[in-house]
Structure formats: structure tokens, C-alpha cells
């Protein structure tokens, strides 16, 4: 345990600090996104924006510490965690390409396809992103969600599948790692359904959009985690949000 803490305390501290920051802004953004009646009810119950932000910040920091530590341990067991200390060009380029493609894919399908069937999607772009929303996406979204879904969940699924089906095999097979990536990507997509429900309602088009887009992004982030390491999944995830929000702010 001492050796583990000595080797990874800086990484876990990073997860916790970003969790505090990302959780705070996620709480503020969450209150902003609630319908006016719900906002009034929460304020009447004493749940101010600051209180919601504090609760969210502590929760996110806990995710970063606990799931981060568990994910590193599991990732090392199944060969997913990489102790790379420096950013290298080839994986960084792959992450940037995925970020640019992902950023475009977060916007264009709404404008060209989904918005024709769900006008509420187009109405969303009439209001520019707020500062809490922008900061939440590049902190909580890019770091804590990757800790939860890739570092922890993908590693956990690979660990369990290896124990169940490959107990006598040395090392984890590609099939198990792919299955773990698909599972974590589906969970990543499903985790966005409550937010979509609150904003648009869960119509068939909204569910398809949520599962398709987030599922594909989740697979790409999982591939980066498996191939190059968690940091590149985080860079790609955060980059998707940066690119999409810049398009939103500047061109829509």
C-alpha cells in the first residue's frame, strides 16, 4: 500500500483537485439547466447554487480518489494502466484527431439530422454556453468521467471477464479488452440519458442520439486508454467539448 501511494499520490491528487473544481461547476451548471419551477423548489428547500456546487465538488473529488485508486490497481492487473510520464507525439496526434472529429460530431448531426425531428435540439443552440457549463465539460467531463468509465469501469469489466473466462490464460486477451470497452462505452452513453431526459424528454430520437453519439465517443476514448493510456482519453474527451463549444459560440 505504501509503495502504491508513493507511486501514484500525485495522480490521485490531480484527480481529486480536478474533481473538486469540476464538481463545483457541474453543480452550478446543473441548477442553471433545471426548469424554472424546479429551481424555485430547490431554492425554497435551501438548496442554493453554492450548496449544490459544494455537494457535487465533494462527491466528484471522492470519485477521483476512490475510483482513481481502484482503477489504477485494476488497470495494472489487466495491462490497461500505463505509467507513461511524458506526452508523446503519435498518441497526442491521435487524441487531437478524435477530438476534432468528435467536436464536429457533437454539433453537425443535430443541425443536419436530429434537429429536423426534435426542434428542441435546435432551440438549445439559441442560448450560448455559460461559463460553469464550459468549465464543467473540460474538468468533470474530461477527467472525472474518464476516471469513472475508462480507468475504473473498463478495467473492472476486463478484470472480471478475465477471471471468469480466462483464469488459466497468462494475460488478458484482446477479446476481453474489446468487450470491456464496449461495456464501458454503453454505460457511458446510458449515463447521459438522465440529463437528456431533463432537457428534452426521452423520445426515441433523443435516446438514439444519446446512445449513438456518446457510445461511439466512448469506444474511441476506450481505444485511446487501451492503446496509449488514460491521459490521451482525457485529452480527446476534453478536446471534443472544446471544439464543439467553439463551433457553438462562434458559428451558430
Amino acid at each position: 500500500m505504501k509503495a502504491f501511494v508513493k507511486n501514484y499520490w500525485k495522480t490521485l491528487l490531480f484527480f481529486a483537485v480536478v474533481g473538486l473544481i469540476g464538481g463545483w461547476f457541474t453543480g452550478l451548471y446543473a441548477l442553471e439547466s433545471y426548469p424554472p419551477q424546479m429551481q424555485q423548489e430547490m431554492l425554497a428547500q435551501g438548496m442554493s447554487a453554492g450548496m449544490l456546487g459544494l455537494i457535487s465538488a465533494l462527491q466528484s473529488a471522492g470519485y477521483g480518489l476512490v475510483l482513481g485508486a481502484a482503477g489504477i490497481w485494476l488497470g495494472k492487473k489487466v495491462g490497461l494502466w500505463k505509467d507513461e510520464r511524458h506526452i508523446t507525439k503519435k498518441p497526442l496526434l491521435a487524441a487531437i484527431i478524435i477530438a476534432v472529429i468528435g467536436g464536429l460530431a457533437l454539433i453537425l448531426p443535430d443541425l443536419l439530422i436530429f434537429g429536423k425531428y426534435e426542434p428542441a435540439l435546435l432551440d438549445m443552440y439559441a442560448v450560448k454556453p455559460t461559463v460553469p457549463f464550459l468549465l464543467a465539460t473540460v474538468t468533470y467531463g474530461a477527467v472525472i468521467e474518464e476516471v469513472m468509465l475508462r480507468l475504473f469501469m473498463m478495467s473492472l469489466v476486463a478484470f472480471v471477464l478475465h477471471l471468469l473466462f480466462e483464469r488459466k490464460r497468462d494475460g488478458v486477451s484482446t477479446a476481453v479488452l474489446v468487450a470491456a470497452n464496449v461495456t464501458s462505452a454503453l454505460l457511458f452513453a446510458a449515463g447521459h440519458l438522465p440529463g437528456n431526459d431533463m432537457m428534452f424528454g426521452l423520445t426515441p430520437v433523443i435516446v438514439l442520439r444519446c446512445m449513438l453519439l456518446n457510445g461511439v465517443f466512448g469506444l474511441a476514448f476506450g481505444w485511446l486508454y487501451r492503446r496509449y493510456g488514460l491521459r490521451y482519453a482525457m485529452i480527446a474527451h476534453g478536446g471534443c467539448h472544446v471544439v464543439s463549444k467553439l463551433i457553438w459560440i462562434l458559428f451558430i
Side-chain angles (χ1 to χ4, degrees):
M1 178 61 73
K2 289 183 178 179
F4 182 88
V5 173
K6 181 179 180 181
N7 287 333
Y8 299 109
W9 71 269
K10 292 181 180 179
T11 302
L12 295 175
L13 179 62
F14 170 75
F15 293 161
V17 171
V18 175
L20 284 172
I21 297 170
W24 171 263
F25 286 110
T26 298
L28 298 184
Y29 160 67
L31 186 61
E32 291 178 354
S33 64
Y34 291 154
Q37 183 178 354
M38 187 179 295
Q39 291 185 29
Q40 293 175 4
E41 291 176 357
M42 294 184 67
L43 292 173
Q45 296 172 3
M47 184 60 72
S48 64
M51 181 64 69
L52 190 60
L54 178 61
I55 294 172
S56 180
L58 294 175
Q59 184 181 55
S60 298
Y63 290 155
L65 279 175
V66 176
L67 298 184
I72 292 172
W73 185 85
L74 289 166
K76 289 173 69 68
K77 289 291 184 181
V78 297
L80 283 171
W81 176 261
K82 296 173 176 56
D83 283 319
E84 185 182 61
R85 299 297 180 183
H86 304 286
I87 297 289
T88 51
K89 292 182 179 179
K90 182 179 178 180
L92 178 60
L93 179 60
I96 291 173
I97 291 173
I98 290 174
V100 172
I101 294 173
L104 292 170
L106 280 171
I107 298 291
L108 294 181
D110 285 347
L111 302 180
L112 301 177
I113 303 172
F114 296 118
K116 295 180 180 179
Y117 303 97
E118 289 291 342
L121 290 170
L122 300 181
D123 295 340
M124 173 183 66
Y125 292 105
V127 180
K128 298 300 182 182
T130 64
V131 172
F133 178 53
L134 292 171
L135 293 175
T137 58
V138 296
T139 50
Y140 183 89
V143 176
I144 301 304
E145 286 186 358
E146 288 305 307
V147 168
M148 295 169 63
L149 274 302
R150 247 60 64 183
L151 177 59
F152 175 72
M153 185 55 65
M154 184 173 165
S155 300
L156 175 62
V157 173
F159 182 77
V160 171
L161 290 178
H162 180 66
L163 287 180
L164 290 175
F165 302 109
E166 300 180 336
R167 189 180 296 271
K168 297 181 180 180
R169 177 190 174 97
D170 292 331
V172 181
S173 68
T174 299
V176 161
L177 296 178
V178 170
N181 188 14
V182 171
T183 302
S184 64
L186 290 173
L187 291 172
F188 175 68
H192 288 79
L193 287 173
N196 279 261
D197 185 22
M198 184 179 63
M199 294 177 65
F200 311 113
L202 291 183
T203 66
V205 172
I206 293 298
V207 172
L208 174 63
R209 169 184 176 269
C210 180
M211 296 302 295
L212 178 62
L213 296 182
N214 288 292
V216 171
F217 298 150
L219 288 173
F221 302 152
W223 176 79
L224 285 170
Y225 171 46
R226 173 190 161 200
R227 182 74 181 271
Y228 299 118
L230 184 69
R231 66 179 63 192
Y232 299 103
M234 291 179 172
I235 291 170
H237 193 154
C240 283
H241 287 299
V242 170
V243 171
S244 66
K245 301 311 179 290
L246 284 176
I247 295 172
W248 185 347
I249 291 170
L250 297 175
F251 301 107
I252 300 179

